[in-house]
Amino acid sequence: MLPSLALLLGLPLALAAEPPTCAPLIPVTLNNDTIAGILGQWVYIAGASKFEPHQGELKALKHAVFSFFPGSHEDELNVTETMRMNETCITKNTSNIHIFRHNSTLVHVDDQVSSTAQLIQSDKDLFILKHLNNNFPGLSLSARTPNVSKEHLEEFKAHLHCLGFGEEEIFYTSEQDACPLPGEKTGEGGAEQQLE
């Protein structure tokens, strides 16, 4: 009886040591309601990418706020972005998001450069994107406010872990590095650049 008791007592420890099961990243179905739900301002919180060119960008990105507005076509959104790249604040008003409802993808077009992503199902106040870059995994987290709950951050980190990312590969932004938004008074720190 003692060996079976030892096995029973050891079972919870063995189960706890197993890695968490990885739930699939399910894209949001893009329809009029979901598109209306993403309009407005978002604060970029964190991101990770196995696509080498994006790793440098993520490392340089210290803070970002972006807003979506209806575009000139039903499946297009205009984007305003204010970000700090290293010590420089940049505001862009020239990019668009093209919405492809048939495969639930968003294509961000900035000048002649485009990037494709899928919005992943999550809390309505979170904006989790799975970036599609030549089979290199990438994921980013944005939220309606600069602070996310510990549970939401842990959910995001669990998704990253399932994609093969370690903690050292996740790049976080800081509200302390925020740039003034268009129309706000300019404060101290960093050069500013307006791109239109």
Side-chain angles (χ1 to χ4, degrees):
M1 177 156 160
L2 194 55
S4 61
L5 182 60
L7 285 174
L8 279 175
L9 291 175
L11 187 59
L13 294 175
L15 291 175
E18 286 184 30
T21 56
C22 293
L25 296 173
I26 301 169
V28 168
T29 300
L30 296 174
N31 57 38
N32 290 344
D33 291 336
T34 56
I35 293 167
I38 66 173
L39 295 176
Q41 183 171 296
W42 295 93
V43 180
Y44 183 89
I45 306 294
S49 178
K50 296 283 186 184
F51 190 55
E52 216 170 296
H54 288 180
Q55 292 170 354
E57 292 174 14
L58 290 171
K59 189 175 184 178
L61 183 64
K62 305 304 179 196
H63 187 268
V65 174
F66 56 96
S67 298
F68 295 129
F69 305 96
S72 57
H73 305 288
E74 180 184 35
D75 288 334
E76 179 182 277
L77 300 175
N78 293 329
V79 184
T80 298
E81 305 168 88
T82 300
M83 66 191 93
R84 182 180 300 274
M85 298 295 287
N86 292 317
E87 296 304 316
T88 303
C89 288
I90 300 167
T91 297
K92 294 182 182 181
N93 297 319
T94 57
S95 62
N96 301 89
I97 298 288
H98 297 276
I99 300 161
F100 294 91
R101 296 171 190 242
H102 69 281
N103 64 1
S104 296
T105 57
L106 303 170
V107 178
H108 182 216
V109 180
D110 186 8
D111 293 323
Q112 297 303 315
V113 179
S114 66
S115 58
T116 304
Q118 290 180 315
L119 178 61
I120 300 303
Q121 289 182 8
S122 187
D123 185 272
K124 69 178 179 57
D125 291 326
L126 297 181
F127 192 77
I128 298 176
L129 287 178
K130 178 183 176 186
H131 300 275
L132 309 172
N133 297 305
N134 303 323
N135 294 322
F136 291 97
L139 209 62
S140 64
L141 170 67
S142 300
R144 290 290 185 186
T145 65
N147 301 309
V148 295
S149 71
K150 183 178 179 181
E151 293 80 18
H152 286 148
L153 193 56
E154 290 303 319
E155 173 193 344
F156 177 70
K157 288 163 66 172
H159 287 318
L160 286 171
H161 176 75
C162 289
L163 291 173
F165 289 95
E167 181 67 35
E168 70 284 354
E169 296 176 285
I170 306 171
F171 296 94
Y172 298 91
T173 61
S174 170
E175 188 65 16
Q176 294 174 335
D177 292 320
C179 296
L181 296 174
E184 286 184 349
K185 214 172 202 182
T186 305
E188 300 288 322
E192 289 192 42
Q193 192 175 10
Q194 179 85 19
L195 300 177
E196 292 191 33

mmCIF file with all atom_site columns, all heavy atoms in Angstrom, residues 37-54:
data_model
loop_
_atom_site.group_PDB
_atom_site.id
_atom_site.type_symbol
_atom_site.label_atom_id
_atom_site.label_alt_id
_atom_site.label_comp_id
_atom_site.label_asym_id
_atom_site.label_entity_id
_atom_site.label_seq_id
_atom_site.pdbx_PDB_ins_code
_atom_site.Cartn_x
_atom_site.Cartn_y
_atom_site.Cartn_z
_atom_site.occupancy
_atom_site.B_iso_or_equiv
_atom_site.pdbx_formal_charge
_atom_site.auth_seq_id
_atom_site.auth_comp_id
_atom_site.auth_asym_id
_atom_site.auth_atom_id
_atom_site.pdbx_PDB_model_num
ATOM 1   N N   . GLY A 1 37 ? -15.212 48.169 -32.486 1.00 0.00 ? 37 GLY A N   1
ATOM 2   C CA  . GLY A 1 37 ? -14.626 47.975 -31.164 1.00 0.00 ? 37 GLY A CA  1
ATOM 3   C C   . GLY A 1 37 ? -13.146 48.297 -31.065 1.00 0.00 ? 37 GLY A C   1
ATOM 4   O O   . GLY A 1 37 ? -12.631 48.505 -29.965 1.00 0.00 ? 37 GLY A O   1
ATOM 5   N N   . ILE A 1 38 ? -12.456 48.332 -32.197 1.00 0.00 ? 38 ILE A N   1
ATOM 6   C CA  . ILE A 1 38 ? -11.021 48.664 -32.133 1.00 0.00 ? 38 ILE A CA  1
ATOM 7   C C   . ILE A 1 38 ? -10.741 50.139 -32.425 1.00 0.00 ? 38 ILE A C   1
ATOM 8   O O   . ILE A 1 38 ? -9.601  50.582 -32.275 1.00 0.00 ? 38 ILE A O   1
ATOM 9   C CB  . ILE A 1 38 ? -10.155 47.757 -33.049 1.00 0.00 ? 38 ILE A CB  1
ATOM 10  C CG1 . ILE A 1 38 ? -10.467 47.984 -34.525 1.00 0.00 ? 38 ILE A CG1 1
ATOM 11  C CG2 . ILE A 1 38 ? -10.290 46.306 -32.645 1.00 0.00 ? 38 ILE A CG2 1
ATOM 12  C CD1 . ILE A 1 38 ? -9.529  47.251 -35.473 1.00 0.00 ? 38 ILE A CD1 1
ATOM 13  N N   . LEU A 1 39 ? -11.780 50.890 -32.792 1.00 0.00 ? 39 LEU A N   1
ATOM 14  C CA  . LEU A 1 39 ? -11.575 52.325 -33.024 1.00 0.00 ? 39 LEU A CA  1
ATOM 15  C C   . LEU A 1 39 ? -11.170 53.005 -31.725 1.00 0.00 ? 39 LEU A C   1
ATOM 16  O O   . LEU A 1 39 ? -11.532 52.574 -30.635 1.00 0.00 ? 39 LEU A O   1
ATOM 17  C CB  . LEU A 1 39 ? -12.856 52.960 -33.566 1.00 0.00 ? 39 LEU A CB  1
ATOM 18  C CG  . LEU A 1 39 ? -13.318 52.496 -34.955 1.00 0.00 ? 39 LEU A CG  1
ATOM 19  C CD1 . LEU A 1 39 ? -14.653 53.139 -35.306 1.00 0.00 ? 39 LEU A CD1 1
ATOM 20  C CD2 . LEU A 1 39 ? -12.278 52.785 -36.012 1.00 0.00 ? 39 LEU A CD2 1
ATOM 21  N N   . GLY A 1 40 ? -10.414 54.082 -31.842 1.00 0.00 ? 40 GLY A N   1
ATOM 22  C CA  . GLY A 1 40 ? -9.999  54.829 -30.662 1.00 0.00 ? 40 GLY A CA  1
ATOM 23  C C   . GLY A 1 40 ? -8.532  54.600 -30.337 1.00 0.00 ? 40 GLY A C   1
ATOM 24  O O   . GLY A 1 40 ? -7.766  54.076 -31.149 1.00 0.00 ? 40 GLY A O   1
ATOM 25  N N   . GLN A 1 41 ? -8.162  55.011 -29.135 1.00 0.00 ? 41 GLN A N   1
ATOM 26  C CA  . GLN A 1 41 ? -6.748  55.021 -28.725 1.00 0.00 ? 41 GLN A CA  1
ATOM 27  C C   . GLN A 1 41 ? -6.337  53.725 -28.035 1.00 0.00 ? 41 GLN A C   1
ATOM 28  O O   . GLN A 1 41 ? -7.077  53.157 -27.250 1.00 0.00 ? 41 GLN A O   1
ATOM 29  C CB  . GLN A 1 41 ? -6.496  56.198 -27.780 1.00 0.00 ? 41 GLN A CB  1
ATOM 30  C CG  . GLN A 1 41 ? -5.040  56.320 -27.366 1.00 0.00 ? 41 GLN A CG  1
ATOM 31  C CD  . GLN A 1 41 ? -4.785  57.603 -26.608 1.00 0.00 ? 41 GLN A CD  1
ATOM 32  O OE1 . GLN A 1 41 ? -4.937  58.680 -27.152 1.00 0.00 ? 41 GLN A OE1 1
ATOM 33  N NE2 . GLN A 1 41 ? -4.399  57.467 -25.344 1.00 0.00 ? 41 GLN A NE2 1
ATOM 34  N N   . TRP A 1 42 ? -5.084  53.306 -28.320 1.00 0.00 ? 42 TRP A N   1
ATOM 35  C CA  . TRP A 1 42 ? -4.456  52.133 -27.722 1.00 0.00 ? 42 TRP A CA  1
ATOM 36  C C   . TRP A 1 42 ? -3.052  52.493 -27.281 1.00 0.00 ? 42 TRP A C   1
ATOM 37  O O   . TRP A 1 42 ? -2.393  53.314 -27.909 1.00 0.00 ? 42 TRP A O   1
ATOM 38  C CB  . TRP A 1 42 ? -4.382  50.986 -28.735 1.00 0.00 ? 42 TRP A CB  1
ATOM 39  C CG  . TRP A 1 42 ? -5.723  50.481 -29.153 1.00 0.00 ? 42 TRP A CG  1
ATOM 40  C CD1 . TRP A 1 42 ? -6.455  50.891 -30.235 1.00 0.00 ? 42 TRP A CD1 1
ATOM 41  C CD2 . TRP A 1 42 ? -6.504  49.492 -28.498 1.00 0.00 ? 42 TRP A CD2 1
ATOM 42  N NE1 . TRP A 1 42 ? -7.648  50.212 -30.276 1.00 0.00 ? 42 TRP A NE1 1
ATOM 43  C CE2 . TRP A 1 42 ? -7.695  49.344 -29.227 1.00 0.00 ? 42 TRP A CE2 1
ATOM 44  C CE3 . TRP A 1 42 ? -6.311  48.718 -27.348 1.00 0.00 ? 42 TRP A CE3 1
ATOM 45  C CZ2 . TRP A 1 42 ? -8.699  48.447 -28.855 1.00 0.00 ? 42 TRP A CZ2 1
ATOM 46  C CZ3 . TRP A 1 42 ? -7.304  47.815 -26.984 1.00 0.00 ? 42 TRP A CZ3 1
ATOM 47  C CH2 . TRP A 1 42 ? -8.473  47.689 -27.735 1.00 0.00 ? 42 TRP A CH2 1
ATOM 48  N N   . VAL A 1 43 ? -2.593  51.874 -26.215 1.00 0.00 ? 43 VAL A N   1
ATOM 49  C CA  . VAL A 1 43 ? -1.230  52.055 -25.704 1.00 0.00 ? 43 VAL A CA  1
ATOM 50  C C   . VAL A 1 43 ? -0.482  50.741 -25.911 1.00 0.00 ? 43 VAL A C   1
ATOM 51  O O   . VAL A 1 43 ? -0.938  49.685 -25.463 1.00 0.00 ? 43 VAL A O   1
ATOM 52  C CB  . VAL A 1 43 ? -1.231  52.423 -24.203 1.00 0.00 ? 43 VAL A CB  1
ATOM 53  C CG1 . VAL A 1 43 ? 0.196   52.597 -23.684 1.00 0.00 ? 43 VAL A CG1 1
ATOM 54  C CG2 . VAL A 1 43 ? -2.052  53.684 -23.960 1.00 0.00 ? 43 VAL A CG2 1
ATOM 55  N N   . TYR A 1 44 ? 0.639   50.826 -26.601 1.00 0.00 ? 44 TYR A N   1
ATOM 56  C CA  . TYR A 1 44 ? 1.466   49.635 -26.847 1.00 0.00 ? 44 TYR A CA  1
ATOM 57  C C   . TYR A 1 44 ? 2.176   49.267 -25.546 1.00 0.00 ? 44 TYR A C   1
ATOM 58  O O   . TYR A 1 44 ? 2.818   50.106 -24.929 1.00 0.00 ? 44 TYR A O   1
ATOM 59  C CB  . TYR A 1 44 ? 2.475   49.941 -27.955 1.00 0.00 ? 44 TYR A CB  1
ATOM 60  C CG  . TYR A 1 44 ? 3.333   48.767 -28.353 1.00 0.00 ? 44 TYR A CG  1
ATOM 61  C CD1 . TYR A 1 44 ? 2.916   47.892 -29.355 1.00 0.00 ? 44 TYR A CD1 1
ATOM 62  C CD2 . TYR A 1 44 ? 4.546   48.529 -27.733 1.00 0.00 ? 44 TYR A CD2 1
ATOM 63  C CE1 . TYR A 1 44 ? 3.699   46.820 -29.724 1.00 0.00 ? 44 TYR A CE1 1
ATOM 64  C CE2 . TYR A 1 44 ? 5.339   47.453 -28.099 1.00 0.00 ? 44 TYR A CE2 1
ATOM 65  C CZ  . TYR A 1 44 ? 4.909   46.602 -29.094 1.00 0.00 ? 44 TYR A CZ  1
ATOM 66  O OH  . TYR A 1 44 ? 5.690   45.534 -29.455 1.00 0.00 ? 44 TYR A OH  1
ATOM 67  N N   . ILE A 1 45 ? 2.070   48.001 -25.133 1.00 0.00 ? 45 ILE A N   1
ATOM 68  C CA  . ILE A 1 45 ? 2.623   47.547 -23.857 1.00 0.00 ? 45 ILE A CA  1
ATOM 69  C C   . ILE A 1 45 ? 3.890   46.720 -24.046 1.00 0.00 ? 45 ILE A C   1
ATOM 70  O O   . ILE A 1 45 ? 4.906   46.965 -23.393 1.00 0.00 ? 45 ILE A O   1
ATOM 71  C CB  . ILE A 1 45 ? 1.581   46.691 -23.082 1.00 0.00 ? 45 ILE A CB  1
ATOM 72  C CG1 . ILE A 1 45 ? 0.268   47.445 -22.910 1.00 0.00 ? 45 ILE A CG1 1
ATOM 73  C CG2 . ILE A 1 45 ? 2.155   46.209 -21.753 1.00 0.00 ? 45 ILE A CG2 1
ATOM 74  C CD1 . ILE A 1 45 ? 0.317   48.674 -22.032 1.00 0.00 ? 45 ILE A CD1 1
ATOM 75  N N   . ALA A 1 46 ? 3.837   45.721 -24.936 1.00 0.00 ? 46 ALA A N   1
ATOM 76  C CA  . ALA A 1 46 ? 4.969   44.797 -25.084 1.00 0.00 ? 46 ALA A CA  1
ATOM 77  C C   . ALA A 1 46 ? 4.880   44.068 -26.406 1.00 0.00 ? 46 ALA A C   1
ATOM 78  O O   . ALA A 1 46 ? 3.814   43.984 -27.022 1.00 0.00 ? 46 ALA A O   1
ATOM 79  C CB  . ALA A 1 46 ? 4.979   43.793 -23.934 1.00 0.00 ? 46 ALA A CB  1
ATOM 80  N N   . GLY A 1 47 ? 6.018   43.502 -26.806 1.00 0.00 ? 47 GLY A N   1
ATOM 81  C CA  . GLY A 1 47 ? 6.041   42.707 -28.023 1.00 0.00 ? 47 GLY A CA  1
ATOM 82  C C   . GLY A 1 47 ? 7.262   41.824 -28.083 1.00 0.00 ? 47 GLY A C   1
ATOM 83  O O   . GLY A 1 47 ? 8.248   42.036 -27.363 1.00 0.00 ? 47 GLY A O   1
ATOM 84  N N   . ALA A 1 48 ? 7.182   40.831 -28.957 1.00 0.00 ? 48 ALA A N   1
ATOM 85  C CA  . ALA A 1 48 ? 8.303   39.931 -29.193 1.00 0.00 ? 48 ALA A CA  1
ATOM 86  C C   . ALA A 1 48 ? 8.210   39.444 -30.629 1.00 0.00 ? 48 ALA A C   1
ATOM 87  O O   . ALA A 1 48 ? 7.115   39.318 -31.179 1.00 0.00 ? 48 ALA A O   1
ATOM 88  C CB  . ALA A 1 48 ? 8.256   38.746 -28.230 1.00 0.00 ? 48 ALA A CB  1
ATOM 89  N N   . SER A 1 49 ? 9.354   39.192 -31.230 1.00 0.00 ? 49 SER A N   1
ATOM 90  C CA  . SER A 1 49 ? 9.384   38.715 -32.608 1.00 0.00 ? 49 SER A CA  1
ATOM 91  C C   . SER A 1 49 ? 10.633  37.888 -32.840 1.00 0.00 ? 49 SER A C   1
ATOM 92  O O   . SER A 1 49 ? 11.708  38.215 -32.332 1.00 0.00 ? 49 SER A O   1
ATOM 93  C CB  . SER A 1 49 ? 9.365   39.902 -33.578 1.00 0.00 ? 49 SER A CB  1
ATOM 94  O OG  . SER A 1 49 ? 9.447   39.438 -34.910 1.00 0.00 ? 49 SER A OG  1
ATOM 95  N N   . LYS A 1 50 ? 10.486  36.839 -33.626 1.00 0.00 ? 50 LYS A N   1
ATOM 96  C CA  . LYS A 1 50 ? 11.643  36.052 -34.057 1.00 0.00 ? 50 LYS A CA  1
ATOM 97  C C   . LYS A 1 50 ? 12.172  36.593 -35.387 1.00 0.00 ? 50 LYS A C   1
ATOM 98  O O   . LYS A 1 50 ? 13.192  36.142 -35.873 1.00 0.00 ? 50 LYS A O   1
ATOM 99  C CB  . LYS A 1 50 ? 11.260  34.569 -34.221 1.00 0.00 ? 50 LYS A CB  1
ATOM 100 C CG  . LYS A 1 50 ? 10.830  33.889 -32.933 1.00 0.00 ? 50 LYS A CG  1
ATOM 101 C CD  . LYS A 1 50 ? 11.994  33.549 -32.048 1.00 0.00 ? 50 LYS A CD  1
ATOM 102 C CE  . LYS A 1 50 ? 11.519  32.730 -30.843 1.00 0.00 ? 50 LYS A CE  1
ATOM 103 N NZ  . LYS A 1 50 ? 12.582  32.456 -29.901 1.00 0.00 ? 50 LYS A NZ  1
ATOM 104 N N   . PHE A 1 51 ? 11.480  37.572 -35.975 1.00 0.00 ? 51 PHE A N   1
ATOM 105 C CA  . PHE A 1 51 ? 11.888  38.195 -37.229 1.00 0.00 ? 51 PHE A CA  1
ATOM 106 C C   . PHE A 1 51 ? 12.958  39.233 -36.891 1.00 0.00 ? 51 PHE A C   1
ATOM 107 O O   . PHE A 1 51 ? 12.672  40.256 -36.267 1.00 0.00 ? 51 PHE A O   1
ATOM 108 C CB  . PHE A 1 51 ? 10.678  38.830 -37.907 1.00 0.00 ? 51 PHE A CB  1
ATOM 109 C CG  . PHE A 1 51 ? 10.913  39.307 -39.314 1.00 0.00 ? 51 PHE A CG  1
ATOM 110 C CD1 . PHE A 1 51 ? 11.402  38.451 -40.284 1.00 0.00 ? 51 PHE A CD1 1
ATOM 111 C CD2 . PHE A 1 51 ? 10.615  40.611 -39.662 1.00 0.00 ? 51 PHE A CD2 1
ATOM 112 C CE1 . PHE A 1 51 ? 11.609  38.885 -41.587 1.00 0.00 ? 51 PHE A CE1 1
ATOM 113 C CE2 . PHE A 1 51 ? 10.807  41.056 -40.959 1.00 0.00 ? 51 PHE A CE2 1
ATOM 114 C CZ  . PHE A 1 51 ? 11.306  40.190 -41.929 1.00 0.00 ? 51 PHE A CZ  1
ATOM 115 N N   . GLU A 1 52 ? 14.196  38.956 -37.272 1.00 0.00 ? 52 GLU A N   1
ATOM 116 C CA  . GLU A 1 52 ? 15.331  39.756 -36.816 1.00 0.00 ? 52 GLU A CA  1
ATOM 117 C C   . GLU A 1 52 ? 15.195  41.266 -37.050 1.00 0.00 ? 52 GLU A C   1
ATOM 118 O O   . GLU A 1 52 ? 15.494  42.045 -36.145 1.00 0.00 ? 52 GLU A O   1
ATOM 119 C CB  . GLU A 1 52 ? 16.626  39.233 -37.443 1.00 0.00 ? 52 GLU A CB  1
ATOM 120 C CG  . GLU A 1 52 ? 17.783  39.338 -36.484 1.00 0.00 ? 52 GLU A CG  1
ATOM 121 C CD  . GLU A 1 52 ? 19.003  38.613 -36.985 1.00 0.00 ? 52 GLU A CD  1
ATOM 122 O OE1 . GLU A 1 52 ? 18.944  37.378 -37.122 1.00 0.00 ? 52 GLU A OE1 1
ATOM 123 O OE2 . GLU A 1 52 ? 20.002  39.309 -37.242 1.00 0.00 ? 52 GLU A OE2 1
ATOM 124 N N   . PRO A 1 53 ? 14.739  41.719 -38.218 1.00 0.00 ? 53 PRO A N   1
ATOM 125 C CA  . PRO A 1 53 ? 14.593  43.177 -38.392 1.00 0.00 ? 53 PRO A CA  1
ATOM 126 C C   . PRO A 1 53 ? 13.659  43.816 -37.359 1.00 0.00 ? 53 PRO A C   1
ATOM 127 O O   . PRO A 1 53 ? 13.856  44.957 -36.959 1.00 0.00 ? 53 PRO A O   1
ATOM 128 C CB  . PRO A 1 53 ? 14.034  43.321 -39.806 1.00 0.00 ? 53 PRO A CB  1
ATOM 129 C CG  . PRO A 1 53 ? 14.457  42.081 -40.514 1.00 0.00 ? 53 PRO A CG  1
ATOM 130 C CD  . PRO A 1 53 ? 14.449  40.997 -39.466 1.00 0.00 ? 53 PRO A CD  1
ATOM 131 N N   . HIS A 1 54 ? 12.650  43.085 -36.917 1.00 0.00 ? 54 HIS A N   1
ATOM 132 C CA  . HIS A 1 54 ? 11.712  43.641 -35.933 1.00 0.00 ? 54 HIS A CA  1
ATOM 133 C C   . HIS A 1 54 ? 12.293  43.668 -34.525 1.00 0.00 ? 54 HIS A C   1
ATOM 134 O O   . HIS A 1 54 ? 11.887  44.488 -33.706 1.00 0.00 ? 54 HIS A O   1
ATOM 135 C CB  . HIS A 1 54 ? 10.400  42.865 -35.936 1.00 0.00 ? 54 HIS A CB  1
ATOM 136 C CG  . HIS A 1 54 ? 9.575   43.137 -37.154 1.00 0.00 ? 54 HIS A CG  1
ATOM 137 N ND1 . HIS A 1 54 ? 8.360   42.538 -37.366 1.00 0.00 ? 54 HIS A ND1 1
ATOM 138 C CD2 . HIS A 1 54 ? 9.773   43.942 -38.220 1.00 0.00 ? 54 HIS A CD2 1
ATOM 139 C CE1 . HIS A 1 54 ? 7.855   42.961 -38.510 1.00 0.00 ? 54 HIS A CE1 1
ATOM 140 N NE2 . HIS A 1 54 ? 8.700   43.806 -39.051 1.00 0.00 ? 54 HIS A NE2 1
#
